Amino acid sequence: MPIPDPDPNIAARQRWMAVLARAAATQIEALLEAVPPLPDCVVLRGPEAGLVMLRGRAGGAGTRFNMGEMTVTRCTVRSTGGQVGHAYVSGRDGRQAELAARLDAALQDPARHDAIQAAVIAPLAEAQAAARAETTRKAAATRVQFFTMATMRS
Amino acid sequence: MAYVAVKGGERAIDNAHAWLAEARRGDTAVPELTTAQIAAQLGRAVDRVMAEGSLYDPALAALALKQAQGDVIEAAFLLRAYRTTLPRFGYAAPLDTAAMLVRRRVSAIYKDMPGGQILGPTYDYTHRLLDFALEAGFSPPSAPEMPADGAEIPPVNAILAQEGLVEGDATTDAEPGDLTRTPLAFPAGRDVRLQTLARGDEGFLLALGYSTQRGWGGSHPFVGEIRVGEAAVAITPPELGFEIDIGDVAVTECQMVNQFKGSKTAPPQFTRGYGLVFGHAERKAMAMALVDRAMRAEELGEEVTAPAQNIEFVLYHADNIEATGFVEHLKLPHYVDFQSELETVRRMRAEAVAVKEAAE
């Protein structure tokens, strides 16, 4: 998760943006069927594909170095309510970036926030957490359980 | 005869490419491969193409592999070319590998440690016998699961550091060098060296790492830790002003721990080499860590005698896209160059004959 911002509104926004960045467009679209249509939006930018340079640290915690790039798609919209929604998502799916930006705008609207949070963000977050938990359980099954042979020296 | 044919190749080239497309598709009685199948079932090849193409995008790497008929270097070349078509939005925060979702984590220096030895989906301990069940088509059962204790899996480094017997990580606030913006120059800092290694050819680094083990610049390595998993990618877009996650990246990290006798300025302690590579690529990450440590010889006051310790030699030859470009360009027309060589050799021979005749 990103470093949580001290402002609770921003911290909440960081959480839903992190969830949307990891959700496929088809997953988002399926969940959107359960909520009233998203407000109309003007697309201010994109969706456009580009690159972000990823970085590591020498030795794991030392000097930063450029490791290699990743494809990223971004989109910015303004909804009829006036909220500006942003999205940066890894990969090249313009549809996902646009949906994420529109949802980011709609979630900033107090009148829509709770319904979308409950019907779209929460189930996506739950599915993502479940997938992580499954990986962790599979990893746990491959953890070596050492046992020591008792020696019989007198 | 100063002229060479410069026209007439177009039709031959077009026809050659048409044949290439047909050959790439292969027997049409066999179903065509989808890029989704490549991404899902040839993951290690996809990972290698992403690492050496220096671009993380599994779907693009799968496409590149299909287009290149599985030629990994050709596929990495395609990714390097593609990346030049995209604008750069910015730089991510350094990956927090200590917090990654761990699939595999092993250490060769501690048996019992917090988090334990997690084997993950490994080829280690397989018998390397061809599995003909796969030829027939095989749907494996789901992998077993066990309750996870949810405890953190701290880096093994931290354990060694508690004893003060291992060197720490020096940090600077300096903006790291970027090979994609500034060509390689010497002396090359560790930042640029690590970037070169991260995108370097696995075979080249494997051979160099191996050479250090066999006495060409040995530094007695132990695998402190290998961890494989997914790390979150976070950026701070200027229009937002706060950090956001944009997804995850699969990486392999290797901490190599090496003996060090000490120098005038440093007490005897363990030193470290570091590897960090896209995807599940522990052979590459280990080789990278060995070569990273070898290239620190001068910094640590060791004698520089072996190829792997020679920074210029390693960095100038690690990139397989550059290497393949320079080696393979030899097959392109050199008609004029060669014509002039021919003339020179003929003239030298004629002169030699004339001198010999004059002597007789």
Side-chain angles (χ1 to χ4, degrees), chain B residues 157-200:
Chain B
N157 263 343
I159 303 169
L160 262 179
Q162 280 170 2
E163 280 200 77
L165 294 176
V166 69
E167 62 169 350
D169 285 320
T171 57
T172 65
D173 291 332
E175 193 63 14
D178 187 353
L179 289 171
T180 68
R181 296 286 164 92
T182 313
L184 199 53
F186 296 94
R190 195 163 173 215
D191 52 346
V192 171
R193 294 180 339 226
L194 288 169
Q195 184 180 12
T196 308
L197 297 178
R199 56 194 238 150

Side-chain angles (χ1 to χ4, degrees), chain B residues 41-56:
Chain B
Q41 297 173 46
L42 296 177
R44 300 292 176 91
V46 167
D47 287 347
R48 185 163 174 185
V49 169
M50 294 194 295
E52 293 170 18
S54 199
L55 180 63
Y56 194 89

Side-chain angles (χ1 to χ4, degrees), chain A residues 2-3 14 22 45 50-51 53 55 57 59 61 63-64 66 69 71 88 90 92 136-137 142-144 146, chain B residues 54 56-57 83 87-90 92 95 117 119-120 145-146 170 175 177 195 239 243 245-246 248 255:
Chain A
I3 300 164
Q14 285 176 310
R22 296 183 169 92
R45 180 176 66 186
L51 302 169
M53 177 59 91
R55 286 176 161 170
R57 285 188 180 279
T63 304
R64 295 175 298 168
N66 290 307
E69 289 163 312
T71 54
Y88 281 80
S90 59
R92 289 164 297 115
T136 310
R137 289 194 303 272
T142 69
R143 180 169 172 175
V144 181
F146 289 107
Chain B
S54 199
Y56 194 89
D57 187 320
R83 71 161 284 282
R88 183 180 288 169
F89 294 159
L95 298 176
Q117 308 273 357
L119 302 181
E145 297 179 16
M146 282 171 66
E175 193 63 14
Q195 184 180 12
E239 65 271 33
E243 192 169 77
D245 269 11
I246 60 171
D248 299 297
Q255 298 274 5

Side-chain angles (χ1 to χ4, degrees), chain B residues 299-316:
Chain B
E299 169 203 333
L300 294 167
E302 297 167 342
E303 207 179 343
V304 176
T305 55
Q309 297 169 324
N310 184 322
I311 295 173
E312 284 199 37
F313 176 78
V314 174
L315 298 192
Y316 271 141

Side-chain angles (χ1 to χ4, degrees), chain B residues 167 190 193-194 197 209 212 217-222 254-262 269-275 285-304 308-311 314:
Chain B
E167 62 169 350
R190 195 163 173 215
R193 294 180 339 226
L194 288 169
L197 297 178
T212 69
S219 53
H220 207 77
F222 296 91
C254 175
Q255 298 274 5
M256 204 66 85
V257 177
N258 306 70
Q259 273 182 6
F260 178 56
K261 287 196 265 305
Q269 62 181 338
F270 292 105
T271 56
R272 292 183 295 133
Y274 187 65
M286 291 173 75
M288 176 174 171
L290 287 172
V291 177
D292 171 48
R293 174 60 184 81
M295 282 195 288
R296 297 182 59 210
E298 194 179 341
E299 169 203 333
L300 294 167
E302 297 167 342
E303 207 179 343
V304 176
Q309 297 169 324
N310 184 322
I311 295 173
V314 174

